[in-house]
Amino acid sequence: MKKGYLPVLFGTILLFLFPYIVTLFVSGSISGEPEKIRESGKLIVRESAYGTEEVDLEEYAVGVAASQIPGTYEKEAVKVQLILARTYLYKAVGEADRVRESELSCTYLDRAGREKEWGKEAAAIEKKFEAAASETAGVVIRFEGSLADAMFHRASAGMTRDGGEAFPYLKSVDGSGDVDMEDYVTIREYSEAELAGAIGGIRGQSLGAEEALGLQIVSRDGAGYVTRVMAGTEEYAGEELAAALSLPSPAFSISQTEQGLKFVVKGSGHGYGVSQWGANKLALEGKDAIAILNYYFQNITVENLNQGSPQT
């Protein structure tokens, strides 16, 4: 991959970092007292119509993970997501004692939001998340002493992606089990006008019908994800085009139709780091959270900040 594409590529990846929330419109209630979660001493400052609220980072990580992964997933997969969320938060807060929520690139579900999200299963799922948080309190992932970029996606296109020199701990691994995820393949069709408008919105390029329909894939990476496309006289990262067209993944193929172009898309998300679907399958096979993390990340250290020592 050309170095010139790294800023665009990994900047656009932010659009995919928190891929989806499954919303359940079922009434329910989270009852009972919440499990005590160890406090970190670092605070996230939230502003709402009710005023200012300070939430400890450890508790905040629960709400972040809850917005990122289905509540029905196995406890070990939830623990993986909590470790990823916590790693991101500690990296974002840095040496500060507190940070404003508006400075973070993540979504947070408070207890009321989790109750709405999980519906009639809310009480059981809340208990699972709080237990997972308690059992992983302070646990983060590091690479060569620094907090890693805790990347994840919903499901790979059959292989996760290699991070190259920028992210040496992200090596491509088998994700063939992801193909049985519902909606693994997505088919979208766009007219020439829709294509011209969406692509033109990326950098303000003016595209004619012929140029829009002449969209070409220039290159893919070893996992099958599109890295570069050409539209008119401009070249774009695969993630840029996927975001502009609201495609679930940059692992796509293109064919022409009578109305425009058809995109066949595999997987969901950017393809780097942990596949949530794959992590849940590994959990179902009996793998614990640390084993799952070590499958998707190479040469990392899973460390408990409360103990100052690696986890095994």
Side-chain angles (χ1 to χ4, degrees), residues 68 78-89 139-141 148-153 273-274 276 293 297:
Q68 297 168 345
V78 171
K79 288 166 73 171
V80 166
Q81 198 65 41
L82 273 159
I83 293 169
L84 296 177
R86 186 182 295 108
T87 301
Y88 165 76
L89 291 170
V139 177
V140 296
I141 56 175
D149 283 273
M151 295 189 186
F152 68 92
H153 54 285
V274 172
Q276 293 177 321
L293 287 168
F297 295 96

Side-chain angles (χ1 to χ4, degrees), residues 134-293:
S134 179
E135 292 169 20
T136 64
V139 177
V140 296
I141 56 175
R142 292 185 183 275
F143 176 74
E144 295 184 346
S146 299
L147 291 170
D149 283 273
M151 295 189 186
F152 68 92
H153 54 285
R154 185 183 179 193
S156 75
M159 295 283 292
T160 65
R161 304 175 72 178
D162 192 299
E165 294 180 4
F167 302 95
Y169 45 88
L170 296 178
K171 300 297 183 184
S172 183
V173 299
D174 179 56
S176 56
D178 292 354
V179 300
D180 61 7
M181 182 192 75
E182 186 178 2
D183 299 325
Y184 170 76
V185 174
T186 303
I187 298 176
R188 301 267 178 85
E189 294 190 26
Y190 300 88
S191 68
E192 59 188 47
E194 290 171 329
L195 289 166
I199 298 170
I202 300 175
R203 297 179 195 160
Q205 180 185 11
S206 178
L207 290 179
E210 185 175 342
E211 291 176 316
L213 293 178
L215 181 71
Q216 292 184 340
I217 294 173
V218 177
S219 61
R220 296 179 183 273
D221 63 17
Y225 290 79
V226 173
T227 55
R228 292 184 294 153
V229 293
M230 179 70 75
T233 59
E234 291 285 333
E235 202 170 84
Y236 302 91
E239 281 82 1
E240 284 185 296
L241 184 67
L245 295 176
S246 298
L247 300 177
S249 159
F252 55 81
S253 60
I254 306 172
S255 60
Q256 196 157 358
T257 67
E258 291 183 1
Q259 291 75 33
L261 294 181
K262 179 172 73 173
F263 290 75
V264 178
V265 189
K266 295 181 180 180
S268 181
H270 52 64
Y272 290 100
V274 172
S275 160
Q276 293 177 321
W277 184 266
N280 194 54
K281 293 192 75 170
L282 290 172
L284 286 166
E285 293 170 6
K287 300 292 191 301
D288 64 21
I290 293 178
I292 295 170
L293 287 168

